[in-house]
Amino acid sequence: MMDDGKIENLGIVITGGSRGLGYALAKGFLNVGDRVVICARNPEGVDSAVSSLLQSVPDGKIFGISCDVTNPEDACRLASFAVSVLGSVDRWLNNAGTSGYRKRPLWELDERDLLETCTTNLYGSMLMSKTAVGIMRSQPVKATEVYHIFNFGFTSFGARFSRSPVPHKASKTGVAAITRHLSREIRQAGISGIGVHEVSPGLVLTDLLLRDTDDETRAFLQITADTPEVVAQRLVPKIRGVKGSNSLIRSQSLLRIAGSMAMRVISARFSPKRHRESS
């Protein structure tokens, strides 16, 4: 994996990799020569994503499998598949998640929506982290962290300013807690070679972000959120080059995020197109 300090040919697993940020991350890893497994619940969606990625990166080593991250049997199938096609799993990204079907106050949400959101985000990330640790412990033992798990959660700052409903914010802040507690358990158990990290991608312009939003919120998000491709471009080198454990990997610093959002809002407000429409 390492040659004169250069990271090469990593084995990557990305849950929720058939669209959005997961898909963009897969493409980013393939572009630098990594081997990638993506999974998602919908088999047709996985097949379509694999075909599309091969069109973009014709010599890319991309593999796909359907997997419900909340299903223990699917987790076992994913583990066996990843090991068989990748050989070594060096980076495991728990990207799969949902913000729920409706962006409403808690008392207006359907109980099934609450259950699916919390189960997918929180239990799914725990089950996938357990699966990843099992794989990594079976690989050659290393004295320092060379195998890494990444949980896509919410920082307290992100949750405070998010417009998503309570189940999403609560489960995603719980996902962030998995990183701290799992990292501590691994260290206390004397397990070397495995690092666990939290990823904060910021606002990513996806269907999940825009789902069930009013016109004003949608317009704001379309101005301030980054595309999956832009976020992936920032995250891929950070994920590949990560060291240690229990770190927070941001797409951008908070200061840069705030500055970028402010500039986009100002630019949109005073754009010639807006002036023409208002005249």
Side-chain angles (χ1 to χ4, degrees):
M1 291 184 297
M2 298 289 293
D3 181 18
D4 297 328
K6 185 178 179 181
I7 305 171
E8 295 181 343
N9 196 24
L10 295 175
I12 313 284
V13 175
I14 305 173
T15 69
S18 66
R19 58 182 180 172
L21 179 56
Y23 178 92
L25 287 166
K27 186 176 179 180
F29 288 117
L30 290 172
N31 279 327
V32 294
D34 294 329
R35 313 175 318 280
V36 180
V37 166
I38 61 170
C39 75
R41 283 185 293 188
N42 184 285
E44 291 77 17
V46 173
D47 291 342
S48 177
V50 169
S51 297
S52 176
L53 287 166
L54 282 174
Q55 289 180 0
S56 298
V57 191
D59 58 346
K61 294 180 172 60
I62 175 67
F63 312 92
I65 184 173
S66 62
C67 174
D68 180 345
V69 297
T70 68
N71 186 318
E73 293 182 359
D74 280 10
C76 290
R77 285 196 310 110
L78 173 60
S80 297
F81 179 77
V83 171
S84 68
V85 298
L86 298 179
S88 173
V89 175
D90 305 298
R91 305 287 187 273
W92 183 291
L93 283 61
N94 287 322
N95 167 73
T98 178
S99 59
Y101 293 102
R102 302 183 68 202
K103 289 183 172 64
R104 296 288 188 272
L106 182 63
W107 56 88
E108 294 183 11
L109 295 177
D110 184 272
E111 289 79 3
R112 291 170 296 180
D113 197 351
L114 271 66
L115 182 61
E116 181 177 341
T117 300
C118 294
T119 303
T120 301
N121 294 344
L122 189 54
Y123 173 67
S125 293
M126 279 192 281
L127 178 59
M128 291 295 103
S129 292
K130 169 184 165 67
T131 302
V133 170
I135 293 173
M136 292 171 178
R137 291 193 67 190
S138 70
Q139 297 177 163
V141 176
K142 304 293 182 179
T144 59
E145 295 87 351
V146 296
Y147 312 123
H148 298 274
I149 301 167
F150 301 86
N151 293 311
F152 285 62
F154 254 18
T155 63
S156 56
F157 175 86
R160 187 179 304 117
F161 290 96
S162 172
R163 300 189 181 191
S164 64
V166 167
H168 181 244
K169 286 186 280 196
S171 58
K172 279 296 190 178
T173 51
V175 169
I178 293 173
T179 295
R180 299 192 301 273
H181 300 308
L182 179 56
S183 180
R184 184 179 301 112
E185 284 189 342
I186 288 173
R187 184 178 66 252
Q188 291 174 343
I191 300 171
S192 61
I194 302 176
V196 189
H197 310 271
E198 179 187 349
V199 177
S200 178
L203 284 177
V204 187
L205 194 61
T206 63
D207 292 341
L208 285 179
L209 182 68
L210 298 177
R211 177 188 289 169
D212 195 37
T213 55
D214 57 40
D215 292 342
E216 181 180 355
T217 300
R218 178 177 288 263
F220 174 80
L221 292 174
Q222 288 175 331
I223 292 170
T224 56
D226 288 312
T227 65
E229 293 74 21
V230 167
V231 176
Q233 186 177 27
R234 296 177 186 141
L235 288 178
V236 164
K238 295 179 180 182
I239 289 172
R240 298 185 85 248
V242 72
K243 298 183 185 300
S245 189
N246 197 27
S247 62
L248 170 59
I249 298 173
R250 294 185 184 275
S251 170
Q252 296 186 93
S253 68
L254 292 179
L255 184 60
R256 192 177 290 272
I257 290 172
S260 177
M261 289 176 65
M263 289 300 295
R264 291 179 190 179
V265 170
I266 293 171
S267 177
R269 180 173 297 176
F270 293 101
S271 68
K273 180 179 179 181
R274 185 179 181 89
H275 283 303
R276 287 194 300 269
E277 290 174 347
S278 60
S279 60

